[in-house]
């Protein structure tokens, strides 16, 4: 069982000289008979596979980025300006057939509530270990 992180410590941790933005990408439960692990892309590059009831943290340089599924279609994602020292929360949206339909941007308060019961993704699900981490101690 994993109790989710100290969010104030996270905000301080990402305010390092490199001035990163932090993005929590997480998924709530989907029907148990389906074990999906869709690939999350950052600017058309594979970052990590997200699993139901798990999360990972993206450490991004400030600027405009696209976080999405389906490399060629850029389907089901967000494109936005990420600010240095800020924390963002993206929750995976699932369709009835347990396919990914997008990402929802959530407030800190809503995301904190969701993240309390989630676990970090397994190391083997991370493709880009410089940008995607399981915890802040890995940066």
């Amino acid at each position: 069982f994993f109790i989710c992180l100290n969010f104030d410590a996270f905000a301080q941790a990402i305010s390092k000289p490199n001035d990163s933005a932090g993005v929590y990408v997480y998924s709530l439960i989907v029907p148990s008979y389906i074990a999906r692990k869709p690939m999350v892309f950052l600017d058309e590059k594979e970052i990590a596979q997200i699993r139901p009831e798990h999360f990972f943290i993206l450490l991004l340089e400030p600027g405009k980025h696209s976080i999405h599924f389906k490399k060629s279609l850029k389907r089901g994602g967000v494109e936005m300006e990420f600010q240095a020292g800020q924390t963002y929360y993206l929750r995976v949206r699932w369709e009835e057939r347990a396919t990914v339909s997008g990402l929802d941007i959530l407030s800190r308060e809503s995301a904190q509530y969701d993240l309390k019961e989630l676990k970090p993704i397994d190391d083997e699900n991370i493709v880009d270990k410089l940008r995607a981490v399981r915890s802040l101690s890995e940066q």
Side-chain angles (χ1 to χ4, degrees):
F1 184 72
F2 180 81
I3 302 291
C4 195
L5 319 164
N6 177 328
F7 288 89
D8 293 327
F10 178 69
Q12 291 174 2
I14 63 170
S15 299
K16 291 188 170 189
N18 66 1
D19 291 324
S20 296
V23 183
Y24 280 81
V25 178
Y26 69 96
S27 175
L28 299 177
I29 194 166
V30 295
S32 60
Y33 58 87
I34 299 191
R36 302 270 183 190
K37 293 188 235 176
M39 183 62 69
V40 177
F41 291 84
L42 172 67
D43 302 326
E44 299 184 21
K45 295 181 181 118
E46 291 184 348
I47 295 297
Q49 289 179 300
I50 188 67
R51 298 172 47 205
E53 299 183 78
H54 287 76
F55 72 90
F56 66 91
I57 305 161
L58 274 173
L59 303 173
L60 300 180
E61 61 276 0
K64 190 173 187 177
H65 294 283
S66 176
I67 301 170
H68 54 91
F69 301 99
K70 305 278 187 189
K71 181 179 181 179
S72 61
L73 301 176
K74 292 187 186 176
R75 179 171 164 252
V78 298
E79 185 173 77
M80 59 188 281
E81 194 75 28
F82 291 91
Q83 303 293 320
Q86 296 296 311
T87 305
Y88 303 87
Y89 304 92
L90 302 176
R91 182 174 63 197
V92 176
R93 186 178 342 111
W94 296 90
E95 294 178 358
E96 284 182 28
R97 297 180 191 165
T99 57
V100 172
S101 65
L103 291 166
D104 294 321
I105 302 168
L106 284 130
S107 69
R108 179 179 186 220
E109 295 78 13
S110 293
Q112 281 181 323
Y113 184 83
D114 290 343
L115 286 163
K116 287 179 185 178
E117 302 296 324
L118 304 181
K119 301 173 193 170
I121 62 174
D122 296 329
D123 193 51
E124 67 217 27
N125 296 120
I126 298 175
V127 175
D128 184 340
K129 295 184 188 305
L130 294 175
R131 289 191 167 172
V133 296
R134 296 167 20 98
S135 72
L136 296 173
S137 62
E138 295 179 22
Q139 34 176 341

